[in-house]
Amino acid sequence: MKYIFIINPASGKTDYDKIKRNIIDNLKNEDYEIYETKAPKEATEIASKFKNEENTVVYSVGGDGTLNEVVNGIAEGKCKLGILPTGSGNDFYRTLKETDKEIVRVDLGKVNDRYFINIASVGMDAETCNNANKIKSKIKMGTSYYLALIHTFLTFKSKSLKLKIDKNVYAGDYIIAAICNGKFYGGGFKIAPVATFDDNLFDIYLVSKANKFKLIKILTALLKSEHEKYPEVRKYTGKKITIKSDNNLIVNIDGEITISKNINIEMIEDALFIYNNKELVEKIMVI
């Protein structure tokens, strides 16, 4: 087995020199390579070089953004994905931790031409993610997501959307439209409590327009994964989703942001395998 470690040294507050030493100490008798990224999308470029190597594990060493880049380099390939969760959110890894299988089959989603492994969304949560990225670029602090949430809550207006989930059409003013492969986003918000990444289906949450008071109650319930009890929150499952709007929408793709009026999302079944060696991860993550 060959191990490729793609490190994003700008992710989180991790001591990456220590991480590298731990890799060397634990894999000194193995075939491994370590790469450090210096620019956005570089992790995708590096990972793609190993996409079709069957006996290779490509490790994402960073947060959800780094993971998304690595996934886009190896999706539907022959190598396996490994995850060292060193970012600030690590939302997909929260779901992965729930399984003890060493080799895990995983579905992926695809938004237009970009893959995602965890969640894609539009609405208040996507704009919160966008604002959090802006805050983090200016102020290095762990509370950036919560500051962004407060700002977005105060300024956000619902979006007029037309959605198609498989053959069913929905239209209205929505606060959130979230297409979930994993359970968590936003640094631990469990929006999709029963989602699994290997059932060939998305869990889809639509939150209809609500006043600020009701919205506070829904968001508070989301912290406890009790949001489904509100009539404004509707859950669906499906494989193919289109979202259309007359205005540009901020789209959150595993924490990465893009802008579009027409969003096409499809399920890519059994798109990759994860090498879920928890013992190795624990040894390398000791700081």
Side-chain angles (χ1 to χ4, degrees), residues 161-210:
L161 305 175
K162 183 176 181 180
L163 303 99
K164 186 175 182 181
I165 301 173
D166 293 338
K167 296 180 180 180
N168 300 307
V169 177
Y170 308 89
D173 291 337
Y174 294 97
I175 296 168
I176 294 172
I179 294 81
C180 309
N181 195 39
K183 296 181 179 183
F184 300 88
Y185 75 160
F189 289 88
K190 198 174 189 179
I191 188 170
V194 299
T196 59
F197 44 63
D198 59 357
D199 63 352
N200 303 151
L201 286 170
F202 294 120
D203 284 19
I204 302 153
Y205 286 83
L206 303 181
V207 183
S208 299
K209 182 179 180 180

Side-chain angles (χ1 to χ4, degrees), residues 145-157:
Y145 188 86
Y146 294 96
L147 291 173
L149 180 59
I150 293 168
H151 171 75
T152 308
F153 175 81
L154 294 173
T155 59
F156 181 80
K157 295 182 179 179

Side-chain angles (χ1 to χ4, degrees), residues 193-249:
V194 299
T196 59
F197 44 63
D198 59 357
D199 63 352
N200 303 151
L201 286 170
F202 294 120
D203 284 19
I204 302 153
Y205 286 83
L206 303 181
V207 183
S208 299
K209 182 179 180 180
N211 61 45
K212 296 290 187 185
F213 177 74
K214 190 63 171 289
L215 183 53
I216 289 174
K217 294 178 73 173
I218 293 171
L219 293 174
T220 302
L222 176 57
L223 290 170
K224 302 176 182 178
S225 298
E226 296 176 352
H227 49 291
E228 292 183 30
K229 68 183 180 182
Y230 289 95
E232 290 84 359
V233 180
R234 289 284 184 266
K235 178 192 172 184
Y236 307 91
T237 58
K239 294 175 180 286
K240 190 172 183 178
I241 302 95
T242 60
I243 304 174
K244 295 184 179 181
S245 174
D246 292 334
N247 302 304
N248 277 328
L249 297 169

Side-chain angles (χ1 to χ4, degrees), residues 21-283:
R21 288 196 298 271
N22 289 346
I23 291 171
I24 293 167
D25 290 343
N26 285 281
L27 295 174
K28 55 189 173 185
N29 297 319
E30 304 287 346
D31 183 6
Y32 69 90
E33 298 174 25
I34 299 173
Y35 297 84
E36 290 192 46
T37 61
K38 298 179 177 64
K41 306 297 186 288
E42 189 178 357
T44 299
E45 181 183 343
I46 296 168
S48 66
K49 297 175 182 178
F50 306 95
K51 177 176 180 176
N52 290 311
E53 295 188 7
E54 284 191 40
N55 294 315
T56 297
V57 180
V58 179
Y59 270 94
S60 167
V61 188
D64 292 307
T66 307
L67 176 59
N68 181 265
E69 288 193 22
V70 171
V71 164
N72 274 273
I74 65 173
E76 301 186 80
K78 296 179 180 179
C79 70
K80 294 179 180 65
L81 170 69
I83 303 173
L84 286 176
T86 61
S88 55
N90 306 311
D91 283 309
F92 179 77
Y93 195 76
R94 295 172 192 265
T95 305
L96 181 63
K97 282 195 303 184
E98 296 179 0
T99 179
D100 291 323
K101 294 179 182 178
E102 186 170 275
I103 305 298
V104 183
R105 176 178 57 84
V106 180
D107 304 320
L108 294 177
K110 199 171 187 181
V111 181
N112 297 339
D113 60 349
R114 188 163 186 83
Y115 294 95
F116 68 95
I117 194 169
N118 193 41
I119 290 177
S121 65
V122 300
M124 182 177 173
D125 52 348
E127 296 197 15
T128 299
C129 179
N130 187 43
N131 288 330
N133 289 343
K134 290 178 181 178
I135 291 171
K136 280 192 289 187
S137 69
K138 297 177 181 178
I139 307 172
K140 300 295 182 182
M141 56 191 304
T143 58
S144 59
Y145 188 86
Y146 294 96
L147 291 173
L149 180 59
I150 293 168
H151 171 75
T152 308
F153 175 81
L154 294 173
T155 59
F156 181 80
K157 295 182 179 179
S158 61
K159 307 298 180 184
S160 180
L161 305 175
K162 183 176 181 180
L163 303 99
K164 186 175 182 181
I165 301 173
D166 293 338
K167 296 180 180 180
N168 300 307
V169 177
Y170 308 89
D173 291 337
Y174 294 97
I175 296 168
I176 294 172
I179 294 81
C180 309
N181 195 39
K183 296 181 179 183
F184 300 88
Y185 75 160
F189 289 88
K190 198 174 189 179
I191 188 170
V194 299
T196 59
F197 44 63
D198 59 357
D199 63 352
N200 303 151
L201 286 170
F202 294 120
D203 284 19
I204 302 153
Y205 286 83
L206 303 181
V207 183
S208 299
K209 182 179 180 180
N211 61 45
K212 296 290 187 185
F213 177 74
K214 190 63 171 289
L215 183 53
I216 289 174
K217 294 178 73 173
I218 293 171
L219 293 174
T220 302
L222 176 57
L223 290 170
K224 302 176 182 178
S225 298
E226 296 176 352
H227 49 291
E228 292 183 30
K229 68 183 180 182
Y230 289 95
E232 290 84 359
V233 180
R234 289 284 184 266
K235 178 192 172 184
Y236 307 91
T237 58
K239 294 175 180 286
K240 190 172 183 178
I241 302 95
T242 60
I243 304 174
K244 295 184 179 181
S245 174
D246 292 334
N247 302 304
N248 277 328
L249 297 169
I250 292 173
V251 188
N252 165 30
I253 307 173
D254 285 347
E256 300 297 292
I257 298 297
T258 188
I259 296 175
S260 180
K261 290 182 180 180
N262 298 299
I263 304 161
N264 297 295
I265 303 172
E266 60 178 320
M267 167 67 65
I268 310 297
E269 298 180 2
D270 308 335
L272 57 75
F273 286 87
I274 293 178
Y275 180 59
N276 185 34
N277 186 333
K278 292 183 179 179
E279 183 180 354
L280 179 60
V281 169
E282 288 173 4
K283 288 179 179 178

